[in-house]
Amino acid sequence: HEATTVSIVTPGGTLAGPTLPLLATSPQVFGDKYGYALALNQDGTLNSAANPARSGSIVAIWLTGGGAQTNTPDNGIATALRDNPYPVSVLSGNPQFPFPEPTSLEVLYAGDAPGSPDGVIQVNFLLPPWANNVYQVQVGTATAAFNINVR
């Protein structure tokens, strides 16, 4: 489907709403108003300017808009680990190259976030030795930028 129509059900009947376009994926990382992801460092602490992640450590982020799982009922809570239906990558520019193109980082897990509503995706990835603060998550062909604090 490339579009869906919204219907509004009232006690007086059903009203035809607008037709809206659909995208396979449109990721958005949960974060603050400054673009910093709500992320956990490898030791389980909240990533912040006062508590940055170390290069070479694992960071966890959460996002939505990663594509719909099949056979998932509405209003559910994820209780198990299940891979995302679309490929998930985390990208970052490598300053070791003169014209840094985004480099794909090692993603250790990308799928349902246990204990969270269906549709919330957890991504655990390994920071490279040359880690910086600027990243992108790519789901399918769509990307979203985010920052994390790194030392």
Side-chain angles (χ1 to χ4, degrees), residues 25-29 89 91 135-146:
T25 61
S26 183
Q28 293 297 309
V29 176
S89 300
L91 310 170
Y135 297 85
Q136 291 179 41
V137 64
Q138 181 176 13
V139 183
T141 59
T143 61
F146 68 95

Side-chain angles (χ1 to χ4, degrees), residues 43-138:
D43 63 4
T45 59
L46 186 63
N47 182 271
S48 67
N51 192 33
R54 291 185 175 181
S55 296
S57 68
I58 299 167
V59 173
I61 61 169
W62 288 264
L63 59 111
T64 190
Q69 293 279 8
T70 56
N71 302 319
T72 302
D74 290 338
N75 303 319
I77 299 294
T79 58
L81 300 178
R82 181 172 48 176
D83 289 339
N84 199 59
Y86 291 94
V88 177
S89 300
V90 176
L91 310 170
S92 182
N94 184 340
Q96 296 173 346
F97 297 112
F99 300 102
E101 288 293 319
T103 299
S104 184
L105 306 181
E106 184 178 355
V107 173
L108 304 167
Y109 174 75
D112 286 343
S116 298
D118 285 332
V120 175
I121 300 164
Q122 179 176 334
V123 179
N124 301 348
F125 65 98
L126 185 64
L127 290 173
W130 42 264
N132 58 49
N133 291 349
V134 181
Y135 297 85
Q136 291 179 41
V137 64
Q138 181 176 13

